[in-house]
Amino acid sequence: MLAPRDTPTRERKSLDGLWRFQLDAEGAGRRQGWFDGLPAGAREIPVPASYNDIFPDDAVRNHVGDAWYETAVLVPERWAGQRIVVRFGSATHRALVWVNGAQVAEHEGGYTPFEADVTDVVQLGAENRITVVVGNVLHWQSIPPGYVEETPDGPRQNLLFDFFNYAGIHRTVWLYATPGAHVRDATVVTGLSGTTGTVRYGVETAGAEGLEVRVALRDAGGAEVASASGGSGELSVADVHPWRPGEGYLYDLTVELWGDGDRPTDSYSLPVGVRTVEVEGTRFLINGEPFHFRGFGKHEDSAIRGKAHDNVFMVHDFALMEWLGANSFRTSHYPYAEEVLDYADRHGIVVIDEAPGVGINSGLAAGVFGAEPFQTFSDATINEATREAHKQAIRELVARDKNHPCVVLWSIANEPESVTPEARAYFEPLVAETRRLDPSRPVGFANVQGSSPDVDVITDLFDVVMLNRYYGWYVHNGYLAAAERALEAELTAWAEKHGKPIIMTEYGADTLEGLHRALPSPWSEEYQVELLAMSHRVFDRVDAVVGEQLWNFADFATVPGVMRVGGNKKGVFTRERQPKAAVDHLRRRWRGAP
Ligand code: GCB
């Protein structure tokens, strides 16, 4: 799926700003035709933003159900004869969209884009009403799954994961115009052989019968280095400048549709980084060279904005990661905004791109998040329909992110049940589908503590071992000597059993900023440092460990609970991005800082 861009033949208009907003807990809006106009009294709300923390209003913060949004947009007269599309970067977790009262789009899944051709329903040169109803309920057949309990006080959403269920329109909304005959999609897969790079490309078009596809690759200075015609082919780049970790060198692939005229009918530009990714034995290779992941599991999370994309936090977070010497992160536990991947492409930051398959684990949900005991996989809980939703989420993730050089690995789930035959039956088709969609990247999942190599039954399906381990926190809390022995024993067992690269995708300790103890005890800043230092000693002793992404970059919002003091405190930065003591340890380890 192509991101909207301004090109010589295309124009886009952002609909970000203040929209009208109305909660609809009873679900009355559809019956009452709110798509023809929200009721009087609707408030103003910023888009993009999660709605939860905008008002000091418990009904908004803990809302379960529909929330309506409305705006008006003037569609330029000069777009006459063009194809006009409305596109949402995301709406969490599902949405229905109307334009001037006509339904134009319906989308399930809170973290991937969707769009609708609205050419026939908009009025040119006039104001057009755009109405969206966003649903935030998670149920057994949604991804992520969850369930709603009816209580005397109304419905209560039960979550099976450890982050606040922020909802709303979280990313930019675009209205854009393209020619009727247009480039619908483009896919690139790159290769390297000595000093020569290759760019295999495929272009999909719509309404373009009789038009010729022409592609041209330009270097960062704008000089053309290769070109071809036809809907698919391979470009060869002599003396290629590869994309590599730490240096996000990008070429630009211009895709054009040509008829008889002296200008292209449509033109689209795609940034392309030429690099390769492979798993070889216990090594993870980028451009044939062993890569060691240093960085974090993150969240899209900040005060007031919730899970909305925000360029201020994005640039700041990347700057902080660079300051520490991090070279990578995981989009735990859902696809992040497209702007984040574009930024990582340009800055040479490596990304493990995760599908929103989180919470597929009854043991964890019941044990840690206080859910009623249930069976993970059953007709009444996570079933074939859930798996289909999960597959669709993977399809949309790959369709959106397949061309990003920063993405080197797909993570299709976080801490699912992975020790039962049902788990294997659930995951086999999902892994196969991911490989079918993208044979060029390895596939993994983040394995939960307790699913050790002697009981896990799904890791052989994957290319890498990704481990979330809390030795020294949930296990052997306050007893780092025992934690060190247990961590090393488990990592060694993984290395011996599978002979695959091991990436530590989570390890860490909740840490209350400002709590100091001369003798490190859990929750103190000193203990976080000691736990990280212990973990790093172990990683350095196990050859197969090729990555350390600790949990978490920053403190983040969760639902309240006996284990959460105003949220999850495992950040090495506070939620406001102020450093805890662990930052010095990381700078020394990752940057060689004194
Ligand atoms: C995990 C989960 C993550 C939690 C973290 C924790 O294993 O993957 O979502 O936030 O542990 O802090 O408990």
Side-chain angles (χ1 to χ4, degrees):
M1 183 187 212
L2 298 180
R5 290 183 203 285
D6 289 315
T7 77
T9 60
R10 297 176 171 223
E11 187 178 355
R12 59 185 182 165
K13 185 169 175 165
S14 161
L15 303 191
D16 294 356
L18 293 178
W19 291 42
R20 298 180 71 219
F21 176 74
Q22 179 71 47
L23 292 184
D24 182 17
E26 280 80 44
R30 298 174 202 221
R31 268 195 324 278
Q32 293 174 7
W34 289 5
F35 38 83
D36 288 325
L38 288 195
R43 316 188 225 207
E44 288 191 85
I45 198 160
V47 167
S50 297
Y51 55 71
N52 308 78
D53 289 349
I54 301 292
F55 308 104
D57 182 347
D58 193 57
V60 180
R61 175 153 173 91
N62 292 311
H63 177 66
V64 178
D66 285 350
W68 291 72
Y69 288 76
E70 183 190 275
T71 194
V73 57
L74 192 118
V75 180
E77 195 97 56
R78 64 177 179 282
W79 285 6
Q82 303 278 295
R83 164 183 166 260
I84 301 171
V85 179
V86 63
R87 186 194 201 260
F88 291 77
S90 72
T92 313
H93 292 283
R94 63 187 59 78
L96 266 178
V97 183
W98 294 262
V99 173
N100 298 331
Q103 188 185 316
V104 295
E106 181 166 11
H107 183 255
E108 176 72 28
Y111 307 99
T112 37
F114 57 96
E115 60 181 28
D117 184 330
V118 296
T119 316
D120 294 338
V121 288
V122 292
Q123 289 178 8
L124 299 175
E127 291 247 303
N128 291 262
R129 187 178 55 251
I130 303 198
T131 317
V132 187
V133 59
V134 179
N136 71 346
V137 166
L138 294 174
H139 53 77
W140 287 117
Q141 277 64 56
S142 62
I143 285 293
Y147 62 94
V148 172
E149 210 180 322
E150 289 306 327
T151 78
D153 316 306
R156 194 189 124 106
Q157 174 74 61
N158 285 274
L159 301 174
L160 309 175
F161 51 69
D162 186 34
F163 51 92
F164 191 81
N165 189 28
Y166 281 116
I169 301 178
H170 282 152
R171 298 174 189 161
T172 291
V173 186
W174 294 105
L175 195 68
Y176 70 93
T178 76
H182 62 275
V183 176
R184 187 164 55 197
D185 198 10
T187 307
V188 294
V189 177
T190 62
L192 285 169
S193 166
T195 55
T196 304
T198 52
V199 178
R200 205 149 38 84
Y201 74 90
V203 174
E204 278 178 36
T205 60
E209 293 72 33
L211 299 183
E212 187 186 33
V213 176
R214 293 188 197 161
V215 300
L217 193 72
R218 292 190 176 75
D219 66 17
E224 185 172 305
V225 295
S227 64
S229 59
S232 62
E234 186 170 293
L235 304 174
S236 172
V237 190
D239 290 324
V240 67
H241 192 148
W243 185 99
R244 58 166 71 94
E247 196 204 356
Y249 189 91
L250 295 174
Y251 291 85
D252 181 83
L253 184 73
T254 309
V255 182
E256 292 176 338
L257 296 180
W258 280 83
D260 294 334
D262 56 358
R263 284 160 180 265
T265 305
D266 191 19
S267 169
Y268 187 85
S269 268
L270 186 73
V272 173
V274 182
R275 57 107 185 90
T276 61
V277 178
E278 275 158 290
V279 168
E280 198 182 270
T282 58
R283 305 283 85 151
F284 194 98
L285 306 177
I286 299 182
N287 301 344
E289 287 169 21
F291 179 69
H292 192 97
F293 296 78
R294 298 187 306 260
F296 300 95
K298 286 185 95 255
H299 263 298
E300 289 191 308
D301 177 89
S302 62
I304 307 169
R305 294 161 175 78
K307 286 210 171 306
H309 174 69
D310 179 287
N311 281 330
V312 174
F313 273 94
M314 177 183 77
V315 174
H316 190 56
D317 284 3
F318 273 96
L320 291 176
M321 286 196 280
E322 193 195 334
W323 180 57
L324 298 190
N327 60 12
S328 63
F329 65 94
R330 176 172 60 121
T331 71
S332 40
H333 297 307
Y334 37 80
Y336 291 2
E338 291 152 277
E339 290 86 340
V340 175
L341 298 175
D342 290 340
Y343 195 93
D345 281 346
R346 292 195 298 274
H347 294 263
I349 301 294
V350 170
V351 176
I352 300 177
D353 206 1
E354 190 156 280
V358 56
I360 304 173
N361 192 329
S362 59
L364 200 61
V368 184
F369 306 120
E372 290 293 315
F374 63 91
Q375 215 183 318
T376 304
F377 302 104
S378 76
D379 289 347
T381 55
I382 293 169
N383 59 21
E384 269 184 38
T386 321
R387 191 176 65 195
E388 281 313 302
H390 196 158
K391 209 184 259 182
Q392 181 60 19
I394 292 171
R395 286 192 190 116
E396 292 184 22
L397 170 69
V398 176
R400 191 193 73 163
D401 292 348
K402 62 189 173 184
N403 293 325
H404 285 285
C406 66
V407 175
V408 300
L409 171 60
W410 302 114
S411 168
I412 65 169
N414 183 68
E415 301 194 342
E417 180 174 304
S418 49
V419 297
T420 55
E422 291 81 6
R424 194 171 173 93
Y426 182 90
F427 277 103
E428 253 178 335
L430 295 186
V431 178
E433 179 69 356
T434 314
R435 293 193 191 289
R436 186 186 70 78
L437 293 165
D438 180 13
S440 81
R441 288 180 181 85
V443 184
F445 78 102
N447 166 304
V448 67
Q449 179 109 39
S451 179
S452 48
D454 47 327
V455 290
D456 155 90
V457 295
I458 66 170
T459 293
D460 63 294
L461 302 171
F462 294 85
D463 302 301
V464 293
V465 177
M466 293 160 61
L467 299 178
N468 295 355
R469 288 298 178 272
Y470 286 95
Y471 289 108
W473 191 253
Y474 295 119
V475 178
H476 300 308
N477 186 286
Y479 188 7
L480 289 177
E484 183 157 355
R485 286 192 295 274
L487 176 59
E488 182 158 4
E490 190 180 344
L491 295 188
T492 307
W494 277 110
E496 283 170 2
K497 173 139 186 202
H498 289 284
K500 294 180 177 174
I502 300 173
I503 304 168
M504 299 303 300
T505 35
E506 288 184 27
Y507 58 104
D510 278 284
T511 305
L512 214 51
E513 61 167 317
L515 182 71
H516 292 285
R517 288 293 177 269
L519 297 180
S521 64
W523 291 95
S524 68
E525 295 201 20
E526 288 76 10
Y527 188 78
Q528 188 179 35
V529 174
E530 292 296 316
L531 185 144
L532 296 182
M534 174 283 286
S535 305
H536 295 149
R537 280 197 300 276
V538 174
F539 302 162
D540 292 345
R541 293 199 291 263
V542 181
D543 264 359
V545 173
V546 300
E548 50 199 55
Q549 293 189 331
L550 61 92
W551 193 255
N552 187 290
F553 172 74
D555 295 346
F556 58 92
T558 64
V559 277
V562 289
M563 297 199 311
R564 297 287 174 258
V565 189
N568 187 308
K569 299 291 184 198
K570 293 192 186 70
V572 298
F573 292 98
T574 65
R575 202 178 189 212
E576 295 70 37
R577 280 41 175 183
Q578 296 306 323
K580 301 180 190 172
V583 157
D584 282 338
H585 168 79
L586 292 175
R587 292 193 77 225
R588 278 198 291 277
R589 177 171 175 81
W590 291 346
R591 280 216 89 113

